[in-house]
Amino acid sequence: MWERTLQDLIRGLRANKKDESKFIAQAVDEIRQEIKSKDMEIKAAAVLKLTYLHMMGYDMGWASFHVVEVMSAPRIHLKTIGYLAAAESFKEDTDVLMLTTNLLKKDLGSRPEEVAIALNGLSHIVTPELARDLSPEIVATLNHSRPHIRKRAVLAMYKVLTKYPEILPQSMNRLRDKLDDSDPGVVAATVNVLCELAHRNPRDYLPLAPHLFHLLTTSSNNWMLIKIIKLFGTLTPYEPRLVKKLQPPITDLISTTAAISLLYECVRTCIIGGMLHGHSGNALARTCVTKLAGFLQDADQNLKYIALLAMVNIVPSHPELVAEYQDMILSSVNDEDISIRMRALDLVSAMVSRHNLQPILQQLLSHLVKSESVALPSASEALSQFATSPNAPIVRPAALPSQSPAYRLTLAQRILALGSQDVYANVTDFEWYISVLVDLAYVARVNIGEEIREQLVDIAGRVRAARRYAVQVMVKLLSDDAFLHNASDEGGCPEVLWAAAWICGEYCSELAEPHKLLSYLLQPRIVSLPTEIIAVYLHAAMKVFGSWGAELADRWDDDDLPKVRGVVDDVLERLSSFVTSPDIEVQERAAELLQLFTFVRADLAAFKPHPRSELLYGDAGAETFGGSSSPPIAEPQFPKSLYLIKPLFGAYELNAVALTAQASVPVPEGLDLEAWIVPPQEEPVLSQDTATEEAPEGKRVKKGKKDTGKTKRKGKGKGKAREDESGDEEGGHAPATPVAETAEERAERERVSVGRKAERLERLRDDPYYLIDDRTAPARLDAPDVDSIPVVKLDDLPPLSQAATVSSYLPSLRSSPAPPAQTFVIDRTGEMPEGARSPPPQPVGQSPRSSGSPAPYGNRSRAGTPLAVGAPTAAPLPSRFPAYDLDADEPRPGTPEPIKVMRAKKKGSGSGKKEKKRTQSRKTDGSTTQT
């Protein structure tokens, strides 16, 4: 019989590529026959072919026993084939591994070539059981006379100690001896094995430190020195005395070696081993930074990367040394390699301080602002390229790194993180930082608007000295048509307009003529913005008009009346387009504004300027204001509706809230947070009579049952019922004596009745045989009664002399003397509630908010405000005028028609005494003005 060799099998595979599976199936059948042969040569050849097919993906687990047979062959070349097949196919769960224990013991004590083959094979197939049983033989081979056997034994010890660490104490002395071996290969192998094993439990290898230090100072093998330095980097955190011992030799290596890999490993070991502290550590740190700075100037990108990576770890302990190469580091931010750019950003973030924040942020921002137009080749360059190789593809210039959206987003986020680090701890000029945030909104062209909005609102609330400048910048932003046009594009940052509208509305008192801002807040083009931003625009418009109206009232001049009427008419005209918005929030706010400004316009139309000769309002009413029995006071000289809106937003000062404010609120005495505020209602137990009475009308009691007479009696008339009752009395049944029902019993009965009715309706709702009328009552179509409109009293305004006087300033910001040097004070902690107690300790690893980012600022009303609530710590500030009150007896319709100003009609009948009394308590100078 002719058998195929491995070469024949490979030739056949190449010749039968179309029918490869068929050829392999035929070859496997032949191998199954050959592997059963008693001739060890044929069996070994079959195992070798099967191993080749196994490397192609075909299973040979069925031939494991035959592999063990070949491993036990006496000839060395056959034994090699067996160990090779075992290394390729055996796994830890292979069942024939238990048969190899004695075989391996025999081979480990045989000729050197067999020992070498057995050590190589054992390192691949070792299991915890084999490592335990063969550990004495392997440790014995560490003292073999042949150096290559000793080296193989050391390398095999790594796999044995990994599988069975319990033999480390028995083998430690032998491993220590191998560090002093006469053969350099054995020493290098031992150092390599110890370096890998020390990562698992470094304390076990501390006794080897003297021998390793001797090798460090005497060896000239760079690769072994790298392993030794790595090993010391693992051991020094567990033995601090090594730091002082290692500083001189490592400093000498850093200064003298020309091997880049060894130099970097020395720097890395100095960082992780804590060798850069103290006087000698400072000198070593300067040496390390100087060498790393040389890597940054190298053309090799790998050296730049490892230099930036090492500097990131040096910055926390020696920031002043790294800061000397700030320009060189910033130049790496725009490198073509994305990995270098990201490491440069990490290094820049680590080296930021109060002294270098501004130049660093300006440099980072310049990478986004930089022109991204790629320079085209000149005509001569294009012709020369075409003349040299007309068929060669045209090489187009590569895109600049800053064109990548992912990188631009990372760079923008890093700018914001550096500025807001530790609640703006590194920011010394907040006006400059506000300008940076606005510039970032213009040039980022990525979705970073939400983060910019949060910081703008947060700064305006925390830093009082920056509010004036913030309002000035936000006004310019709201009036920028180009920004509004691009806001709907990808990366347009429309959320910044949210912050601009909110800041201008909240701090509009900084503006000299805030009414000019209304045309930008209510312009029709904002309908393209997201609905939550439109809602903030409308809310800010109401704040701006309220502040401006109150200011005009304080310094009223009749010449201002046409201007106020024009502004109100313009606002009403602009609001008409928002009332029909599909968004319910925008629609509701627009409807509220429409009703308020309709009321203001009606009041302005009814207002009649007083002649100049009449007494002023404040002079006439300063002494008689507020008394019900005093003589009537004069009408105010200004439209009273101008004070209508501002009190809605000025009751509290909006401040930041401390992170632990909620947890520090003291619990009042007598309040039990665990007790029920309203005790749960007990289920009433219904008697049989009550259940029969409450049965639904659709269910009738069958005949022949109990209480039939009671059921029939319900259908009788009143007269018949009386006859039945009188018959009962005549039959000798005395009627029950009526008992007086107290108020508590009546309330309890009504409550139980209501509960039973609700339970019955809920039960019938799921009954398919019972129909419930769910139709709502039709709306009333009759005209509303004018007298039923709520009355707002505007008579109790304070005298003009008591109102705070506001100086009149001209456009833009209010003019004020500029301070010689601006000092910004930031509220980093926030307010705490009165009587605050110590908050409970936070669990380890949990915190209400990271200290690296500022806490969100407060909000006072729905979407038109920032993200969190700024709880006031003091009582509300007293208003300069009484609140608007409504009479309790007057009806309050849900959605009245636009309010008209007119005289109230006296009611003819009804509550005459009550009306007369109420009229006397509201006397004025002859008439009562109601709206």
Side-chain angles (χ1 to χ4, degrees):
M1 180 179 178
W2 179 78
E3 296 84 9
R4 296 180 183 178
T5 62
L6 178 61
Q7 291 79 4
D8 297 331
L9 177 64
I10 295 175
R11 292 192 190 99
L13 288 173
R14 294 175 178 175
N16 296 273
K17 290 184 178 180
K18 295 182 179 179
D19 298 329
E20 183 177 310
S21 58
K22 180 179 179 182
F23 177 80
I24 291 177
Q26 182 180 357
V28 171
D29 292 339
E30 294 177 0
I31 292 173
R32 289 181 182 273
Q33 297 298 326
E34 295 172 0
I35 208 169
K36 297 178 182 178
S37 175
K38 295 183 179 180
D39 188 352
M40 192 58 66
E41 294 284 349
I42 298 176
K43 186 186 291 290
V47 170
L48 186 61
K49 292 187 289 183
L50 196 58
T51 304
Y52 182 81
L53 294 178
H54 175 76
M55 295 170 65
M56 295 180 62
Y58 294 91
D59 181 46
M60 62 172 293
W62 55 272
S64 299
F65 182 77
H66 302 288
V67 172
V68 175
E69 289 181 333
V70 178
M71 290 171 63
S72 61
R75 298 183 180 181
I76 189 64
H77 69 282
L78 300 180
K79 187 181 291 291
T80 303
I81 294 175
Y83 276 100
L84 173 64
E88 289 292 333
S89 62
F90 282 8
K91 302 177 183 178
E92 285 194 14
D93 57 349
T94 303
D95 51 359
V96 298
L97 276 176
M98 64 180 64
L99 303 177
T100 62
T101 303
N102 292 329
L103 173 63
L104 289 170
K105 283 186 177 182
K106 176 184 175 183
D107 290 341
L108 289 174
S110 300
R111 296 173 297 174
E113 55 270 18
E114 293 183 357
V115 175
I117 296 172
L119 288 173
N120 289 343
L122 177 63
S123 62
H124 291 88
I125 65 175
V126 64
T127 61
E129 292 78 14
L130 286 176
R132 180 193 60 205
D133 298 337
L134 298 175
S135 57
E137 287 76 11
I138 298 174
V139 172
T141 56
L142 292 175
N143 289 334
H144 202 276
S145 59
R146 302 285 182 93
H148 72 93
I149 299 296
R150 295 198 301 271
K151 183 168 64 175
R152 293 171 190 267
V154 170
L155 296 176
M157 282 297 299
Y158 170 72
K159 299 298 290 290
V160 172
L161 289 172
T162 303
K163 297 293 183 178
Y164 191 68
E166 286 78 3
I167 68 168
L168 180 61
Q170 294 82 5
S171 59
M172 181 61 71
N173 292 332
R174 294 290 177 89
L175 290 175
R176 183 186 298 108
D177 295 339
K178 297 304 108 184
L179 292 176
D180 298 330
D181 197 272
S182 59
D183 186 76
V186 177
V187 177
T190 306
V191 171
N192 193 13
V193 169
L194 292 175
C195 183
E196 298 300 324
L197 291 174
H199 290 292
R200 299 176 180 270
N201 192 0
R203 296 184 183 276
D204 294 341
Y205 302 93
L206 286 175
L208 302 177
H211 297 79
L212 294 173
F213 183 80
H214 175 72
L215 291 175
L216 177 65
T217 55
T218 58
S219 176
S220 60
N221 186 348
N222 287 337
W223 292 110
M224 189 170 67
L225 288 176
I226 290 174
K227 292 295 183 179
I228 293 174
I229 291 174
K230 278 187 175 181
L231 184 54
F232 275 123
T234 306
L235 298 179
T236 47
Y238 299 91
E239 181 51 74
R241 291 177 294 178
L242 285 175
V243 173
K244 186 177 180 180
K245 189 74 173 177
L246 291 172
Q247 280 181 345
I250 290 183
T251 303
D252 183 63
L253 282 175
I254 293 175
S255 304
T256 59
T257 184
I260 301 298
S261 56
L262 178 58
L263 176 60
Y264 174 74
E265 200 59 47
C266 291
V267 173
R268 178 180 174 275
T269 302
C270 292
I271 296 172
I272 66 177
M275 302 179 187
L276 303 181
H277 303 288
H279 178 70
S280 58
N282 293 333
L284 180 59
R286 180 171 291 279
T287 304
C288 293
V289 173
T290 304
K291 291 292 183 179
L292 293 175
F295 290 174
L296 292 177
Q297 298 176 341
D298 199 284
D300 190 353
Q301 299 290 81
N302 295 325
L303 295 183
K304 289 183 180 180
Y305 182 86
I306 63 175
L308 294 171
L309 199 62
M311 283 186 172
V312 170
N313 298 321
I314 296 179
V315 166
S317 58
H318 298 82
E320 69 284 353
L321 299 179
V322 181
E324 296 178 3
Y325 305 94
Q326 177 176 315
D327 297 336
M328 193 182 303
I329 295 169
L330 288 174
S331 63
S332 302
V333 176
N334 211 29
D335 196 274
E336 296 180 357
D337 192 343
I338 182 64
S339 59
I340 293 179
R341 276 183 275 151
M342 298 309 297
R343 297 290 76 78
L345 281 178
D346 293 340
L347 180 55
V348 168
S349 304
M351 58 188 292
V352 163
S353 65
R354 293 176 61 89
H355 306 289
N356 60 7
L357 175 67
Q358 293 192 14
I360 287 178
L361 288 193
Q362 293 289 2
Q363 186 72 19
L364 295 179
L365 196 62
S366 65
H367 292 296
L368 297 175
V369 180
K370 188 179 297 182
S371 175
E372 299 188 1
S373 58
V374 180
L376 297 176
S378 63
S380 59
E381 293 175 352
L383 289 175
S384 62
Q385 181 182 4
F386 181 77
T388 54
S389 55
N391 296 327
I394 299 176
V395 179
R396 299 186 180 275
L400 292 177
S402 56
Q403 289 179 342
S404 170
Y407 175 70
R408 296 181 70 86
L409 179 61
T410 302
L411 190 57
Q413 290 175 342
R414 195 62 61 93
I415 291 174
L416 295 174
L418 294 179
S420 62
Q421 185 177 6
D422 296 331
V423 196
Y424 314 103
N426 297 324
V427 179
T428 56
D429 187 354
F430 280 93
E431 293 183 358
W432 164 83
Y433 188 60
I434 290 174
S435 301
V436 169
L437 294 177
V438 175
D439 292 341
L440 183 61
Y442 274 95
V443 303
R445 294 197 296 279
V446 289
N447 296 325
I448 199 69
E450 185 175 352
E451 290 84 349
I452 298 176
R453 175 192 68 185
E454 292 178 358
Q455 291 199 18
L456 285 173
V457 174
D458 196 57
I459 291 174
R462 290 180 183 271
V463 188
R464 296 177 181 271
R467 291 176 183 173
R468 180 183 179 85
Y469 183 78
V471 172
Q472 179 183 1
V473 176
M474 295 301 105
V475 169
K476 294 179 180 179
L477 191 63
L478 291 175
S479 60
D480 190 348
D481 295 337
F483 190 89
L484 178 61
H485 176 73
N486 298 328
S488 57
D489 298 340
E490 180 67 21
C493 299
E495 296 85 359
V496 181
L497 295 175
W498 191 106
W502 188 89
I503 291 174
C504 290
E506 188 68 24
Y507 307 110
C508 56
S509 58
E510 300 288 346
L511 296 173
E513 294 179 331
H515 65 282
K516 293 183 178 180
L517 193 60
L518 294 174
S519 59
Y520 297 106
L521 293 174
L522 300 177
Q523 56 182 313
R525 291 199 302 168
I526 68 173
V527 295
S528 61
L529 297 174
T531 54
E532 61 270 14
I533 300 178
I534 301 176
V536 179
Y537 266 65
L538 298 177
H539 202 70
M542 182 160 47
K543 293 180 182 179
V544 169
F545 181 84
S547 177
W548 178 63
E551 179 185 352
L552 281 182
D554 291 340
R555 52 179 181 85
W556 178 253
D557 188 351
D558 291 339
D559 296 336
D560 295 334
L561 184 59
K563 180 173 66 173
V564 177
R565 288 176 177 173
V567 171
V568 172
D569 292 340
D570 182 61
V571 170
L572 287 173
E573 182 180 356
R574 294 173 181 270
L575 285 174
S576 58
S577 60
F578 299 102
V579 177
T580 58
S581 173
D583 185 73
I584 186 61
E585 182 71 15
V586 176
Q587 184 185 127
E588 180 182 358
R589 289 177 183 268
E592 292 173 354
L593 279 175
L594 187 64
Q595 295 295 327
L596 282 174
F597 279 93
T598 301
F599 170 78
V600 173
R601 181 172 62 178
D603 184 53
L604 292 175
F607 176 75
K608 295 180 180 181
H610 293 264
R612 299 280 183 180
S613 59
E614 292 186 5
L615 294 176
L616 293 178
Y617 165 62
D619 297 337
E623 299 179 356
T624 59
F625 179 80
S628 59
S629 60
S630 301
I633 61 176
E635 283 292 321
Q637 292 285 341
F638 55 87
K640 292 175 287 186
S641 58
L642 296 181
Y643 271 119
L644 180 62
I645 299 177
K646 185 177 181 180
L648 302 177
F649 307 103
Y652 300 97
E653 183 180 5
L654 194 60
N655 296 319
V657 181
L659 294 177
T660 58
Q662 183 65 37
S664 304
V665 176
V667 180
E669 296 183 1
L671 176 61
D672 185 3
L673 297 178
E674 303 297 332
W676 287 94
I677 297 177
V678 178
Q681 179 182 357
E682 298 180 358
E683 292 293 335
V685 180
L686 302 180
S687 61
Q688 185 176 1
D689 298 339
T690 308
T692 305
E693 292 178 0
E694 294 188 357
E697 297 179 0
K699 299 180 180 180
R700 303 296 183 184
V701 181
K702 296 183 180 180
K703 297 180 178 180
K705 300 291 183 179
K706 294 182 179 180
D707 299 336
T708 304
K710 294 182 180 179
T711 305
K712 291 182 178 180
R713 185 176 301 171
K714 288 183 179 181
K716 297 180 180 181
K718 295 182 180 179
K720 187 66 176 178
R722 293 193 190 98
E723 293 177 1
D724 294 342
E725 292 173 4
S726 61
D728 293 340
E729 293 175 5
E730 293 174 359
H733 299 283
T737 304
V739 182
E741 187 179 32
T742 62
E744 290 79 8
E745 293 176 350
R746 182 169 60 254
E748 179 67 17
R749 177 175 53 80
E750 293 175 355
R751 186 181 62 83
V752 173
S753 177
V754 171
R756 292 173 179 175
K757 183 177 180 181
E759 292 175 357
R760 183 171 69 253
L761 292 177
E762 189 65 24
R763 183 172 61 254
L764 296 178
R765 191 178 299 278
D766 299 331
D767 191 348
Y769 301 103
Y770 190 84
L771 300 178
I772 299 177
D773 188 6
D774 294 336
R775 293 175 299 177
T776 58
R780 296 180 57 187
L781 300 179
D782 52 344
D785 186 7
V786 177
D787 294 333
S788 64
I789 298 176
V791 177
V792 180
K793 297 187 295 185
L794 301 176
D795 305 275
D796 297 333
L797 288 174
L800 188 60
S801 60
Q802 295 179 1
T805 59
V806 181
S807 302
S808 58
Y809 297 107
L810 293 176
S812 185
L813 298 177
R814 300 184 185 276
S815 60
S816 60
Q822 184 65 275
T823 302
F824 296 99
V825 179
I826 179 171
D827 181 13
R828 290 193 175 93
T829 58
E831 291 185 346
M832 293 288 289
E834 292 183 355
R837 57 181 175 81
S838 300
Q842 293 289 338
V844 178
Q846 298 180 5
S847 62
R849 182 173 292 269
S850 175
S851 61
S853 59
Y857 206 62
N859 116 343
R860 285 186 292 193
S861 60
R862 297 184 294 185
T865 50
L867 308 176
V869 177
T873 61
L877 297 177
S879 178
R880 294 184 302 169
F881 44 87
Y884 293 94
D885 297 327
L886 294 178
D887 291 338
D889 296 338
E890 298 183 7
R892 302 186 182 188
T895 54
E897 294 294 326
I899 301 174
K900 299 179 181 180
V901 179
M902 59 180 298
R903 296 284 184 178
K905 300 179 180 179
K906 296 184 178 180
K907 298 182 180 180
S909 59
S911 56
K913 296 181 179 179
K914 187 181 299 184
E915 180 65 21
K916 182 177 180 181
K917 183 177 180 181
R918 185 167 59 249
T919 304
Q920 291 177 353
S921 63
R922 294 182 298 159
K923 285 183 179 181
T924 58
D925 58 346
S927 63
T928 302
T929 304
Q930 295 180 346
T931 58

